[in-house]
Amino acid sequence: MALVWLPIDEKLLDAALVFASASWERADLDASWVAAGWHVPASGSVADDLFDGLDQRQWTGDRLMTIGLTADCSSIVAVTIEFATFVDPEDEEDEPLVAEDEGWSGLPEGTRADFDETWRAGVAAVTTRLGPPEATGMHGEHWQHAVWRVGDALLALVQGEHIDTYGLWDEAALWLVRHPADAPLLTGDELYDVMWGPVTQPG
């Protein structure tokens, strides 16, 4: 398949808004995680799994989240929850996608226009909840973003490199990134640098 997706819903937005406003410090992380309503790992502590085990991929209960850390892995700078993955069907070197997880849909001949429409549907869902984004725009040749402020964090729907494949595919994801409420809102490539610059990837 060229496109797989799991739409943004109220459950995800409820959790994301709670977590965006909560503390991400290690001492508070488990409480913030529970407050968001996310699945507690078998170890009993997402903080231990993250900071001691460096397990940056965490299961929320119905979606996977990637947690980005500072270079020294001492604090969280961002979380990202993918809601669509796209492989250009014209690129014969890329392996096809499989919509194997519960709730995900697939479009075997999906095009970049279909991928863009999936992103726009996500923007519409967040707009219904939070109002129009404070910024929209492009970064890179094909990718789009929409950004909302949530206290000292940004909630952004961003198209870009697929995290797990280090850019082999494209993804659309909901990002939460720390950003002071009184700091200028960045857009374009500057916004994407904020999203990716300090984040260490799993692997």
Side-chain angles (χ1 to χ4, degrees):
M1 294 184 180
L3 175 66
V4 295
W5 72 95
L6 177 61
I8 291 175
D9 57 16
E10 287 296 311
K11 183 179 180 181
L12 172 58
L13 288 177
D14 287 345
L17 292 172
V18 169
F19 197 67
S21 301
S23 171
W24 297 356
E25 296 298 321
R26 176 169 184 163
D28 305 319
L29 182 58
D30 287 335
S32 298
W33 191 267
V34 170
W38 285 328
H39 171 76
V40 176
S43 68
S45 173
V46 69
D48 289 349
D49 286 356
L50 177 63
F51 292 108
D52 294 335
L54 296 181
D55 186 359
Q56 293 174 258
R57 292 283 277 174
Q58 292 292 327
W59 178 245
T60 68
D62 51 12
R63 298 174 187 257
L64 277 172
M65 169 194 290
T66 298
I67 304 177
L69 299 173
T70 51
D72 62 1
C73 297
S74 65
S75 60
I76 297 171
V77 291
V79 300
T80 176
I81 301 176
E82 176 189 339
F83 66 91
T85 302
F86 172 69
V87 173
D88 192 330
E90 295 182 2
D91 190 341
E92 297 179 357
E93 295 182 1
D94 284 346
E95 296 181 4
L97 301 171
V98 178
E100 60 185 9
D101 294 328
E102 182 177 354
W104 285 75
S105 300
L107 190 61
E109 301 302 324
T111 64
R112 185 165 294 278
D114 296 314
F115 179 51
D116 290 344
E117 181 56 37
T118 302
W119 177 82
R120 284 193 291 269
V123 173
V126 180
T127 298
T128 297
R129 181 68 174 272
L130 299 181
E134 295 195 36
T136 59
M138 299 291 294
H139 52 278
E141 183 178 356
H142 299 294
W143 298 330
Q144 304 176 81
H145 59 262
V147 188
W148 295 259
R149 288 189 190 267
V150 182
D152 285 319
L154 301 179
L155 187 158
L157 300 189
V158 178
Q159 293 177 317
E161 298 103 335
H162 186 267
I163 288 178
D164 286 351
T165 62
Y166 297 90
L168 183 62
W169 303 339
D170 290 354
E171 73 174 14
L174 184 154
W175 282 78
L176 299 175
V177 180
R178 286 296 187 225
H179 192 71
D182 58 354
L185 189 62
L186 303 177
T187 60
D189 291 337
E190 288 183 322
L191 170 69
Y192 207 58
D193 289 342
V194 169
M195 293 289 180
W196 280 101
V199 178
T200 62
Q201 298 186 48

